[in-house]
């Protein structure tokens, strides 16, 4: 029987289990990368494991999120990360070098490899024909310590592309927005999307990377494209053609499902507030007033897209009612745009050019005004993420964004003469790795920690029974931004759990922290959620802070992959309503009791929840694989890994 690309790569890396849907498998990992906002924890965790040096072929520590330095904290974190990289043998990508996913694609990603990154948009590397998966910091630390990456094999779904995009009016961003409309933010849970068909030839590596990047918003484990002549062309232009291998699915490869998509029928699309799947055609919003436009981020920062934006802006002026921010995703792209006069065109049009970093995408500056409309070529528009709670954030292609910036309202590209030529990728990119510090493996190097850097808290092993208060009852699709917001105020505390925990659920309920602290000494708390609880980012702080506040379990209708793993890694039970209607049987403030946990987790994984306040009961279950059970029994991944690697 033939094999698909996912099977081929996984089988070449397998160390335990069989590559079969639903099986627990362990694979060898080639590359691990961290970014600063999740990386401080990841490297503190690596340090706590107790090894001298990383045990993976390549580790890279990027700095791209916490870039605003309004006090000492972020700069201290950057120094910690630089010294930790020197101590443990990782590359260090200095602040200013760009957003991890874009830089990694340019300088390190290669077909056929497996990469993990401590950021949910790590699947960007799938555009290069590699399996690239977003994980929590502790998972990354354990793999850097030489452990295999273990996970339950997802379904592999093929997306069969044919036809050609109507360029330059329709872009790769419109492809992924179309898929989000079709499949929703839950559509990819438990799945890997493998792209194939004639249509892939129409997409360059950077187009593909836009699609796999935002595949994270579908909830997918990852997405991947074949490695073909376009891949070779990109690698050659990056001076890395020696890393190319061809990769395609066999003719008779099997898939759990096949989705057909005609690229020639795709039109410009836009996601409305407050979810990336709330997608409509741009023409439906024609004429809607816009106050702010942001172009760039890890989703849409390719040389090609940025030059397209510059050509649209050239010789014109940004509408006087609009603020336009541009954050090119990497130093490479930024420098090329500067050299070729595109930055000049952008400045001349009135754009506010930001440094090469996440910026407004994560609320690190560039927050819109009260109740304002912001349209962004980014990947997430969750309520409040921009830094302004009552802002309305839309997501669209850089072309739609540039037109909105000039016109002060939404314009359908298909009804305009853009008057520009299609831009293609260059024959050679400008290669200058002077902002990447190679691994030094300095055993003696001293790790420098500022006063805001505190130790990683560890939970005690699983209790026999839980009697705890329901501190919050939530609906469907709760994001990790809801659980633990980002932004300028909160992000600097990513290396300080006691402080950051004060912001837990703050945007949803100002009283949460205080109530949780009160409940902590009386048995702790429980969170109740709906479907897809914890969608969005990989930030493990959304599990560590609740753990620190005494949360013992989350009972939901279903969980998002990375957050579920993070809960387990920090010893919080992810429990699922056996009968989803029982969700109605619980209210905030109820006291719930679960007995015989240890026995149940080792056997059937069915638990009875007694609602002491309502005097009723209902059933929940956990769907933990063997490794996950062990983790919970040990109190989480840190004690478990320590035991395994330090003998
Ligand atoms: C995001 O886009 O939400 C982030 C900020 O990059 C996160 C990581 C984080 O919270 O540090 C992600 O995508 O995982
Ligand atoms: Fe940074 Fe935004 Fe990309 Fe997250 S989605 S890595 S915050 S640019």
């Amino acid at each position: 029987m033939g094999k698909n690309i996912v099977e081929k790569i996984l089988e070449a890396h397998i160390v335990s289990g069989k590559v079969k849907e639903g099986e627990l498998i362990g694979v060898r990992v080639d590359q691990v990368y961290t970014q600063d906002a999740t990386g401080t924890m990841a490297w503190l965790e690596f340090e706590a494991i107790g090894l001298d040096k990383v045990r993976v072929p390549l580790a890279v520590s990027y700095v791209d999120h916490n870039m605003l330095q309004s006090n000492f904290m972020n700069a201290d974190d950057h120094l910690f990360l630089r010294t930790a990289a020197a101590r443990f043998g990782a590359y260090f990508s200095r602040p200013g070098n760009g957003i991890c996913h874009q830089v990694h694609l340019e300088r390190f990603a290669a077909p056929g490899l497996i990469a993990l990154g401590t950021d949910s948009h790590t699947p960007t590397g799938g555009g290069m024909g590699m399996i690239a998966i977003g994980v929590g910091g502790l998972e990354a630390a354990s793999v850097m310590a030489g452990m295999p990456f273990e996970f339950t094999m997802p379904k592999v779904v093929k997306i069969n592309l044919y036809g050609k995009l109507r360029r330059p009016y329709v872009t790769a961003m419109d492809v992924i927005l179309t898929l989000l409309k079709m499949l929703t933010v839950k559509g990819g849970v438990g799945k890997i999307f493998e792209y194939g068909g004639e249509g892939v030839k129409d997409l360059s590596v950077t187009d593909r990377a836009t699609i796999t990047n935002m595949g994270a918003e579908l909830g997918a484990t990852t997405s991947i494209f074949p490695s073909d002549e376009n891949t070779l062309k990109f690698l050659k232009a990056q001076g890395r053609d020696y890393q190319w291998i061809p990769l395609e699915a066999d003719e008779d490869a099997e898939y759990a499902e096949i989705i057909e998509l005609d690229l020639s029928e795709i039109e410009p699309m836009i996601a409305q507030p407050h979810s990336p799947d709330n997608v409509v055609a741009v023409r439906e919003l024609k004429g809607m007033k816009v106050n702010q436009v942001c172009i760039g981020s890890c989703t849409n920062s390719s040389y090609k897209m940025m030059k397209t934006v510059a050509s649209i802006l050239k010789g014109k002026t940004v509408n006087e009612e609009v603020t336009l921010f541009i954050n090119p995703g990497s130093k490479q792209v930024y420098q090329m745009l500067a050299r070729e006069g595109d930055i000049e065109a952008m400045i001349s049009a009135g754009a506010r050019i930001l440094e090469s970093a996440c910026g407004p995408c994560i609320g690190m500056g560039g927050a819109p005004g009260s109740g304002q409309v912001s349209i962004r070529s980014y990947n997430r528009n969750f309520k409040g993420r921009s830094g302004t709670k009552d802002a309305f954030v839309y997501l669209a292609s850089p072309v739609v964004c540039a037109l909105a910036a000039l016109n002060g309202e939404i314009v359908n590209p298909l009804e305009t003469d853009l008057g520009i030529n299609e831009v293609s990728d260059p024959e050679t990119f400008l290669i200058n790795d002077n902002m990447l510090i190679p691994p030094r493996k300095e055993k003696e190097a001293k790790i420098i920690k500022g006063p805001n850097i505190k130790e990683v808290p560890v939970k005690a092993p699983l209790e026999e029974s839980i009697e705890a208060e329901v501190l919050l009852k939530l609906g469907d699709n709760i994001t990790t931004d809801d659980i633990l917001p980002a932004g300028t105020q909160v992000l600097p505390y990513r290396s300080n759990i006691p402080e950051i925990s004060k912001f837990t659920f703050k945007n949803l309920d100002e009283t949460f922290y205080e109530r949780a602290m009160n409940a902590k000494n009386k048995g702790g708390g429980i969170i109740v959620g709906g479907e897809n609880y914890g969608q969005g980012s990989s930030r493990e702080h959304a599990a560590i802070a609740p753990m620190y506040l005494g949360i013992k379990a989350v009972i939901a209708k279903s969980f998002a992959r990375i957050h579920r793993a993070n809960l387990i890694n920090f010893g919080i039970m992810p429990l699922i309503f056996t009968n989803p209607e029982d969700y109605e049987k619980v209210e905030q403030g109820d006291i719930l009791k679960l007995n015989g946990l240890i026995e149940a987790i080792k056997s059937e994984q069915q638990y009875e929840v007694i609602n002491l306040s309502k005097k009723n009961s209902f059933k929940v279950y956990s769907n933990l694989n063997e490794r996950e059970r062990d983790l919970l029994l040990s109190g989480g991944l840190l004690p478990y890994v320590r035991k395994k690697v330090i003998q």
Side-chain angles (χ1 to χ4, degrees):
M1 196 182 72
K3 295 195 191 312
N4 57 46
I5 300 171
V6 173
E7 288 165 340
K8 287 184 187 185
I9 300 179
L10 291 177
E11 281 178 6
H13 288 80
I14 198 88
V15 292
S16 63
K18 260 190 101 183
V19 181
K20 195 165 162 255
E21 187 188 316
E23 298 264 321
L24 174 64
I25 58 168
V27 291
R28 186 172 46 76
V29 171
D30 304 297
Q31 306 185 337
V32 177
Y33 67 89
T34 58
Q35 45 92 335
D36 53 341
T38 52
T40 47
M41 263 302 134
W43 288 101
L44 285 169
E45 286 151 0
F46 185 79
E47 187 186 32
I49 292 172
L51 290 180
D52 257 359
K53 129 182 177 15
V54 295
R55 294 182 178 170
V56 279
L58 178 93
V60 191
S61 171
Y62 291 95
V63 179
D64 49 8
H65 285 65
N66 283 357
M67 298 283 280
L68 279 189
Q69 294 172 216
S70 36
N71 58 33
F72 64 91
M73 292 193 248
N74 289 344
D76 279 3
D77 279 358
H78 301 170
L79 180 62
F80 163 68
L81 290 169
R82 177 160 65 77
T83 53
R87 174 79 181 78
F88 296 125
Y91 273 91
F92 180 67
S93 173
R94 296 167 59 189
N97 198 37
I99 306 175
C100 56
H101 311 302
Q102 173 88 19
V103 179
H104 206 80
L105 185 78
E106 292 168 355
R107 307 305 303 139
F108 295 110
L113 300 184
I114 297 184
L116 298 185
T118 61
D119 190 282
S120 65
H121 293 105
T122 303
T124 311
M128 179 68 89
M130 77 195 296
I131 290 188
I133 299 180
V135 293
L138 188 47
E139 198 79 57
S142 82
V143 170
M144 290 196 290
M147 303 278 293
F149 174 53
E150 292 179 287
F151 64 114
T152 303
M153 179 64 195
K155 283 190 170 112
V156 183
V157 174
K158 180 172 184 183
I159 303 196
N160 199 28
L161 302 177
Y162 47 97
K164 278 180 186 299
L165 291 176
R166 286 179 273 172
R167 295 171 199 283
Y169 303 91
V170 181
T171 76
M173 180 69 168
D174 301 304
V175 177
I176 188 66
L177 286 172
T178 302
L179 284 167
L180 274 154
K181 182 177 169 67
M182 286 164 62
L183 304 173
T184 82
V185 291
K186 291 184 291 190
V189 176
K191 295 176 187 166
I192 295 180
F193 290 113
E194 181 177 310
Y195 289 82
E198 275 301 295
V200 297
K201 288 205 190 106
D202 185 48
L203 302 169
S204 68
V205 164
T206 53
D207 292 332
R208 296 172 185 181
T210 294
I211 296 170
T212 57
N213 171 286
M214 213 172 162
E217 275 52 72
L218 292 166
T221 302
T222 191
S223 308
I224 187 168
F225 273 84
S227 170
D228 57 10
E229 58 279 14
N230 292 0
T231 323
L232 176 61
K233 185 170 177 253
F234 182 81
L235 277 172
K236 207 167 176 184
Q238 291 287 355
R240 302 198 285 125
D241 40 335
Y242 57 90
Q243 284 180 294
W244 184 73
I245 54 158
L247 253 181
E248 61 176 352
D250 294 334
E251 289 264 312
D252 53 345
E254 291 200 348
Y255 296 91
E257 198 188 323
I258 300 183
I259 296 169
E260 303 286 342
L261 195 62
D262 184 351
L263 296 176
S264 57
E265 277 189 6
I266 293 178
E267 62 174 312
M269 305 298 275
I270 185 165
Q272 310 176 92
H274 297 285
S275 179
D277 63 357
N278 190 11
V279 174
V280 293
V282 168
R283 70 184 142 74
E284 293 177 48
L285 299 186
K286 195 174 130 184
M288 188 187 82
K289 292 269 171 253
V290 170
N291 309 102
Q292 185 197 64
V293 176
C294 301
I295 301 177
S297 90
C298 64
T299 315
N300 274 301
S301 278
S302 66
Y303 169 84
K304 202 165 80 163
M305 265 348 299
M306 283 292 174
K307 266 189 106 66
T308 307
V309 168
S311 333
I312 296 174
L313 297 178
K314 195 167 181 172
K316 314 223 168 67
T317 301
V318 171
N319 183 282
E320 63 184 48
E321 300 200 16
V322 175
T323 300
L324 168 63
F325 286 112
I326 300 182
N327 59 328
S330 70
K331 169 169 169 281
Q332 180 180 78
V333 168
Y334 211 149
Q335 202 180 337
M336 288 178 79
L337 296 174
R339 191 176 66 175
E340 294 165 19
D342 301 293
I343 295 288
E344 191 192 351
M346 291 169 174
I347 295 173
S348 162
R352 294 169 63 180
I353 316 286
L354 302 173
E355 61 183 328
S356 199
C358 301
C361 178
I362 192 57
M364 265 284 164
S370 308
Q372 285 193 348
V373 169
S374 174
I375 157 163
R376 302 169 164 213
S377 74
Y378 301 171
N379 53 29
R380 287 189 176 142
N381 60 344
F382 304 141
K383 200 172 170 47
R385 180 178 162 102
S386 65
T388 305
K389 255 191 184 174
D390 63 355
F392 297 93
V393 178
Y394 293 73
L395 308 170
S397 77
V399 172
V400 175
C401 288
L403 286 173
L406 292 178
N407 294 286
E409 60 181 41
I410 302 282
V411 172
N412 180 6
L414 290 177
E415 292 171 21
T416 330
D417 180 10
L418 282 179
I420 57 164
N421 294 327
E422 196 191 320
V423 182
S424 20
D425 278 320
E427 291 300 314
T428 46
F429 287 98
L430 193 161
I431 298 160
N432 177 2
D433 290 330
N434 62 342
M435 294 291 275
L436 271 174
I437 304 178
R440 297 243 170 91
K441 297 181 189 137
E442 291 169 11
K443 270 203 168 163
E444 306 314 320
K446 192 171 153 15
I447 299 178
I448 304 173
K449 291 181 194 160
N452 184 47
I453 301 179
K454 303 279 191 265
E455 271 184 25
V456 191
V458 182
K459 189 185 164 286
L462 188 70
E463 301 88 344
E464 182 59 47
S465 65
I466 295 175
E467 187 174 323
E469 179 185 340
V470 175
L471 290 173
L472 212 50
K473 184 178 173 187
L474 303 157
D476 292 346
N477 296 320
I478 288 298
T479 72
T480 49
D481 283 83
D482 294 324
I483 303 171
L484 198 68
T488 46
Q489 240 202 318
V490 190
L491 278 170
Y493 294 116
R494 284 289 180 93
S495 39
N496 184 342
I497 299 300
E499 273 308 309
I500 207 169
S501 65
K502 294 181 182 160
F503 297 90
T504 313
F505 288 115
K506 192 156 182 188
N507 286 347
L508 299 186
D509 181 346
E510 290 268 351
T511 66
F512 183 82
Y513 174 73
E514 216 171 297
R515 293 192 294 110
M517 285 310 259
N518 281 336
K520 194 173 174 179
N521 307 322
K522 300 183 208 142
I526 291 178
I527 307 292
V528 172
E531 299 280 5
N532 200 23
Y533 179 82
Q535 68 157 332
S537 95
S538 70
R539 66 190 71 149
E540 59 188 351
H541 303 75
I544 311 178
M547 179 270 273
Y548 178 80
L549 295 179
I551 302 301
K552 298 284 163 59
V554 179
I555 307 179
K557 292 183 189 167
S558 65
F559 289 89
R561 177 187 64 91
I562 310 181
H563 185 61
R564 175 181 174 280
N566 284 334
L567 288 173
I568 297 167
N569 289 347
F570 286 92
I572 299 180
M573 289 280 279
L575 298 169
I576 303 167
F577 285 102
T578 309
N579 176 1
E581 275 137 43
D582 288 339
Y583 172 84
E584 305 302 335
K585 289 191 176 163
V586 207
E587 270 178 62
Q588 185 171 315
D590 288 354
I591 305 289
L592 304 185
K593 188 162 183 162
L594 286 98
N595 290 322
L597 283 179
I598 295 186
E599 186 51 40
I601 203 175
K602 287 183 178 163
S603 53
E604 303 285 289
Q605 300 197 53
Q606 313 274 354
Y607 316 79
E608 181 172 41
V609 182
I610 304 162
N611 188 336
L612 297 175
S613 312
K614 294 269 174 330
K615 310 222 173 339
N616 62 30
S617 72
F618 57 92
K619 292 246 160 48
V620 297
Y621 69 96
S622 56
N623 51 358
L624 308 163
N625 61 38
E626 238 175 271
R627 172 183 180 262
E628 291 167 342
R629 291 185 208 202
D630 283 354
L631 294 187
L632 279 171
L633 286 165
S634 336
L637 183 56
L638 194 53
Y640 175 88
V641 180
R642 241 194 230 140
K643 231 181 349 196
K644 291 239 168 181
V645 299
I646 309 277
Q647 258 112 29

